[in-house]
DNA sequence: ACCTGAACACCGTTCAAGT
DNA sequence: ACCTGAACACCGTTCAAGT
């Protein structure tokens, strides 16, 4: 994505953070709407990514949006990769966490975490792809991780399987949500609805003999909307996974 | 990635294919090593992607590799997106398929498919990310899909759950492999080994309180190499998933 | 401390022209 | 049928300079 030479290490905001004062004037100084700081840049980047997708979010375009010269952004962020890491962490901050004190079953808490992660990512379709591109170890991502760990810690699984269980759930949800949000973007790009575009592809694929499904998507039509089918797939698979981990154990 | 305007639909080789004669002279005519055709372009693209990663594989760079002007490539492919779809399908052709006539348990065949997909994708670390970016409905991808469908068709699952089961397995493997190959690339980019880089990140993260894992990766060290731990995670999760789908059913 | 202008080294792709 | 050259409209980023 960025023009990294293969030989030079990719930087990460989180590994070599900027001094926290950088771009932060005193609390009283934010005089005009025009004054720049890191939060404002990141917020604008998120808005731009949401509205027009990854392809349209360039440093130059973002600067124009902020009424400023491209190079002024580099005072606040080291480079575009860092900015994307910050944007990803910003949306990670929107993920709703279950109340761990409520005494719910750990499986339900884990299901809730999976669902709210998916929900947040679907709201920012560019974001899920960042997980495959950037380190995501910012404070908001860590808040989410800590919560997820606390949840499996209440499971009956032996301790050495805790991280396997976490990975299993979130790698699945990552895969599911990647595909789901990709179909959304296909829809937008093609000017059709996501489901219309899917129908078109499915139709084109169905001409080949013996084909019933495309890359993880489905073509059953039992009176359900595609959204309902996706939700059903999501829930059912999580049930399978959670049931599988608990086979032969007292829950 | 490509400079798509949001309003114009993304093309796909598979949806609007070139006439198959394009770039295919008669079988006898491939006179010099210098003569161009679509297969040769795709093969060179795969080699370049393998050797130097997505960032270094530009149309211009690829043309230089082929000793030709950038624009001559456009005689054989519509644009870069199409070329990437072709490259992805080319590596999909490397995936080893189980022998369906061997009469193995459907679960073992499914595990074999998951393993060989993972194996092929790890051999071309840029490839797994293409699944989140491009349609993958080329002939080789379809060959793989057809095989996977034939395998679940032998399962005891009710028919309306077949595609859910397929999606479950492959979305999980997609998530797992995305993360696994991303860490490989981090290693390469940082000039360290993948595991060294992981240790560095884990160390930096461990300074925050209450943290034990990063985004699906692990830090148990029970005398196993990280590769062994990854393999164990992969197998264990597939076992959970397969066990979960079969709960309460005769296998 | 913060922002700008000019410049560098790239991109993907169009178009008209060559052979 | 196949390939080229020049050009367009972009990129991310460096650097020296301004205030």
């Amino acid at each position: 994505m960025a023009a990294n030479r293969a030989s030079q290490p990719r930087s990460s905001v989180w590994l070599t953070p900027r001094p926290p004062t950088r771009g932060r004037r005193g609390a009283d100084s934010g005089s005009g709407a025009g004054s720049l700081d890191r939060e404002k840049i990141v917020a604008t980047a998120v808005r731009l990514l949401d509205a027009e997708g990854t392809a349209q979010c360039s440093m130059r375009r973002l600067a124009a949006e902020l009424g400023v010269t491209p190079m002024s952004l580099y005072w606040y962020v080291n480079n575009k990769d860092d900015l994307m890491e910050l944007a990803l962490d910003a949306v990670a901050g929107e993920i709703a966490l279950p109340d761990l004190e409520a005494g719910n079953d750990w499986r339900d808490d884990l299901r809730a975490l999976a669902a709210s992660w998916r929900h947040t990512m679907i709201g920012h379709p560019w974001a899920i792809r960042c997980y495959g591109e950037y380190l995501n170890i910012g404070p908001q991502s860590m808040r989410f991780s800590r919560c997820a760990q606390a949840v499996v810690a209440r499971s009956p699984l032996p301790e050495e399987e805790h991280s396997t269980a976490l990975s299993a759930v979130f790698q699945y949800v990552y895969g599911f949500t990647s595909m789901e949000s990709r179909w959304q973007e296909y829809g937008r790009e093609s000017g059709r609805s996501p489901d219309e575009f899917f129908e078109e592809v499915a139709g084109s694929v169905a001409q080949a003999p013996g084909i019933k499904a495309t890359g993880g998507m489905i073509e059953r039509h039992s009176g359900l909307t595609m959204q309902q089918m996706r939700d059903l797939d999501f829930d059912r698979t999580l049930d399978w996974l959670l049931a599988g981990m608990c086979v032969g154990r007292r829950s």
Side-chain angles (χ1 to χ4, degrees), chain A:
Chain A
M1 181 137 309
N4 293 310
R5 297 261 152 271
S7 52
Q8 57 189 192
R10 180 195 289 261
S11 68
S12 166
V13 229
W14 311 122
L15 295 180
T16 54
R18 293 237 148 191
T21 53
R22 189 53 86 73
R24 290 213 187 152
R25 306 170 194 85
D28 53 335
S29 71
S31 55
S35 72
L36 220 52
D37 61 24
R38 200 148 120 165
E39 268 114 68
K40 188 169 182 180
I41 291 171
V42 172
T44 307
V46 169
R47 233 186 336 103
L48 193 53
L49 287 162
D50 287 349
E52 317 200 15
T54 306
Q56 306 304 309
C57 182
S58 66
M59 296 298 272
R60 296 171 117 108
R61 177 75 203 284
L62 178 57
E65 211 77 19
L66 286 158
V68 103
T69 250
M71 288 319 301
S72 57
L73 302 180
Y74 288 86
W75 182 256
Y76 302 96
V77 296
N78 287 312
N79 49 46
K80 197 188 178 183
D81 284 346
D82 277 20
L83 178 56
M84 292 302 293
E85 288 189 307
L86 291 164
L88 179 58
D89 204 56
V91 318
E94 294 176 16
I95 304 172
L97 301 186
D99 176 13
L100 296 184
E101 309 303 318
N104 294 320
D105 188 274
W106 67 279
R107 294 193 220 70
D108 289 334
D109 280 346
L110 205 50
R111 272 186 270 255
L113 273 169
S116 64
W117 189 35
R118 174 187 173 209
H119 178 255
T120 300
M121 291 301 133
I122 292 298
H124 306 279
W126 51 275
I128 190 71
R129 235 155 332 148
C130 294
Y131 285 89
E133 205 84 45
Y134 307 104
L135 280 181
N136 71 311
I137 52 173
Q140 297 299 333
S141 295
M142 285 297 128
R143 180 194 67 122
F144 181 78
S145 286
R146 261 196 313 272
C147 179
Q149 281 174 218
V151 168
V152 287
R154 286 179 6 234
S155 78
L157 298 179
E159 217 194 324
E160 76 271 17
E161 291 182 7
H162 283 188
S163 65
T164 310
L166 266 188
S167 301
V169 169
F170 289 103
Q171 283 164 354
Y172 165 68
V173 178
Y174 168 78
F176 180 95
T177 309
S178 294
M179 296 306 160
E180 188 178 25
S181 68
R182 192 68 194 88
W183 284 102
Q184 290 206 162
E185 292 197 305
Y186 278 134
R188 180 164 77 176
E189 284 166 12
S190 67
R192 298 168 192 71
S193 84
D195 294 352
E196 275 166 1
F197 182 79
F198 174 76
E199 295 287 358
E200 181 185 324
V201 172
S204 146
V205 155
Q207 293 170 353
I211 288 302
K212 285 163 74 188
T214 17
M217 281 288 136
I218 322 97
E219 50 120 81
R220 296 157 286 146
H221 306 260
S222 36
L224 298 176
T225 66
M226 305 202 95
Q227 179 63 48
Q228 287 169 322
M229 294 192 324
R230 276 191 295 267
D231 290 348
L232 207 149
D233 270 9
F234 185 80
D235 293 340
R236 192 134 62 179
T237 301
L238 282 185
D239 286 344
W240 284 341
L241 208 41
L242 291 168
M245 349 184 143
C246 295
V247 163
R249 282 188 250 267
R250 76 194 74 255
S251 71

